[in-house]
Amino acid sequence: MNVTNTGKSGSIPDMSASSSGSVSENFSADRQARRPEAVAGKSQVASSADGSGQAKEVRSHNERPAPSLPDTGSDVSDGQKSKKRRRKRRRRRGGANVGHQPSQSSNGAVESGASIGGAKLGNGAADLHNGKAHPNAARPIVHHSNDAYAALDLGTNNCRLLIAVPTKPGSFRVIDAFSRIVRLGEGFGATGRLSDAAMDRAIEALKVCRDKLYARPIQKARLIATEACRSAVNGGDFLLRVEQETGLKLEVVDRETEARLAVSGCSSLVDRSAKSIILFDIGGGSSEIALVNAENHRGGRLANHIRAWTSLPVGVVTMAEKFGGENVTHAKFDDMVDYALNLLHEHGDADLMASSSFGARSVIDDDFHLIGTSGTVTTLAGIHLDLPRYDRRRVDGLWMSSNQVDAINHKLLNWTFAERSANACIGSDRADLVLAGCAILEAIRKAWPSERLRVADRGLREGILTEMMASDGAWRRRNRGYNRNWKSKNRQGPNR
């Protein structure tokens, strides 16, 4: 998975090991500086063996040694010594044949591209040569358990967890994941409180996350909660109960941080030809919208190029509770769209609204496109592809035209609640929420009409992981190789 971010500290202690960019360079320079001393030592040994008592000239290590170099008592060539040194460094890094266990699919099959014992797995078979890794085979990436990073997002509708290890710069490999619909914000729109049943469901899901987090050493973790915990009257009491019953300390992030993390998680999905993008995240209790300058973001974090943003106090759960989500007529759908548009005008940042079709500095004529990261747009993509079962690999990064989005909206409005529940990409858990999300999406499309919408099955968790790995120098460490001064704390769990 290519995700191309945390500068903000939360209640989770920083569990990263200290690492500076100069350590690896100092180690390399120190190693080079020691080589002339070794040559000098060899010359002195040779002088004493000859018994001449005269000091021999110590040549620079950059000069080619003379063919008549005296015997130093060792028959090992410089090339063999270099190989030994390289093997020794590999052992220090964990060994060339100590790989991370391969990931498995839900049916237990090993995924293609995983590594066992350092041998790279291709399409169903390891590339072996006489029982060993082929000498010309590409060296596999070795994942260490103490490289693992974790991100947990407790939202108004879902509880999600990702645990991943860094791979190539800007990318990571997911080694464990969890997602469950908990509807923490159920009834929140009417009462302003989290119900006991909703809190019970969320805590049961968090216990599963806790077990996954404590099952392996975690280098660094960030566990966040969003709109439901942020706005509920009893949100603080719920967080205290979570800590007492699960041992997890959740960080309630503000709306700006939520928008930034959503942008960070979708950097790699920006079209290279685009000058601007509108990225939106339709959540359960709030919806974040960000205007991003995409022209000069290459080589930097996309979140640093946010020009304007806003957070609407409405999501799929609160919208469905306000208007009803089961029997949605065309007239009720239009009322939902108008309600979302009014909130956009009321809460929208001035610069953000100026870039819309209602503003004086509209980006509509520029090379821009929409990026949607939410269950709403991924559901629309799954229905558009007519998937018998939701498949993230086919949905994430999919381009949809404006006409295709209109067609799916029209189809959903003509389906009954039972038909929506029977669809594999919707299910009974989301059947009453999907049209509420479509109404918010339609309001965004009216404000920023675009012929292109890119679907992102990623978001806050990926943004958290990307920011943690970047700020922690995880990809720098991997590029520069072994660092003898860097030691992982190798702690078990996220809060220790």
Side-chain angles (χ1 to χ4, degrees), residues 40 43-48 50-59:
S43 300
Q44 292 173 3
V45 172
S47 295
S48 61
D50 291 342
S52 60
Q54 297 180 356
K56 286 185 176 288
E57 179 185 3
V58 178
R59 289 184 294 272

Side-chain angles (χ1 to χ4, degrees), residues 327-338 409-415 435:
N327 300 313
V328 180
T329 63
H330 287 268
K332 184 180 290 187
F333 183 80
D334 291 339
D335 291 341
M336 290 182 180
V337 175
D338 292 338
N409 280 342
H410 182 73
K411 179 185 290 188
L412 287 171
L413 277 170
N414 290 326
W415 279 357
L435 283 172

Side-chain angles (χ1 to χ4, degrees), residues 133-211:
H134 195 282
N136 294 328
R139 182 178 174 184
I141 298 174
V142 179
H143 300 300
H144 305 286
S145 60
N146 56 20
D147 283 341
Y149 291 77
L152 185 147
D153 170 25
L154 178 62
T156 305
N157 194 48
N158 290 278
C159 177
R160 298 186 178 100
L161 171 71
L162 273 186
I163 302 176
V165 291
T167 54
K168 63 183 180 180
S171 302
F172 53 80
R173 176 175 176 265
V174 176
I175 59 176
D176 204 353
F178 173 79
S179 179
R180 179 182 294 177
I181 295 177
V182 296
R183 294 213 181 190
L184 179 60
E186 186 178 49
F188 166 73
T191 65
R193 299 179 60 87
L194 304 178
S195 67
D196 292 337
M199 290 189 289
D200 290 341
R201 290 193 299 267
I203 287 178
E204 289 304 313
L206 288 170
K207 288 179 180 178
V208 178
C209 296
R210 174 202 59 195
D211 295 341

Side-chain angles (χ1 to χ4, degrees), residues 359-399:
R361 299 190 304 274
S362 175
V363 297
I364 307 305
D365 296 331
D366 295 340
D367 294 330
F368 100 106
H369 66 86
L370 301 174
I371 295 181
T373 165
S374 65
T376 297
V377 291
T378 56
T379 299
L380 293 181
I383 298 173
H384 166 67
L385 295 173
D386 197 20
L387 297 178
R389 182 179 180 182
Y390 183 80
D391 186 350
R392 181 191 182 278
R393 294 171 297 179
R394 296 187 59 185
V395 168
D396 187 45
L398 177 72
W399 287 100

Side-chain angles (χ1 to χ4, degrees), residues 260-291:
R260 178 183 177 89
L261 291 174
V263 172
S264 297
C266 300
S267 180
S268 63
L269 297 182
V270 177
D271 188 354
R272 292 181 178 272
S273 63
K275 295 180 180 179
S276 301
I277 62 167
I278 292 292
L279 187 144
F280 59 90
D281 180 9
I282 303 174
S286 66
S287 299
E288 282 66 43
I289 306 171
L291 170 64

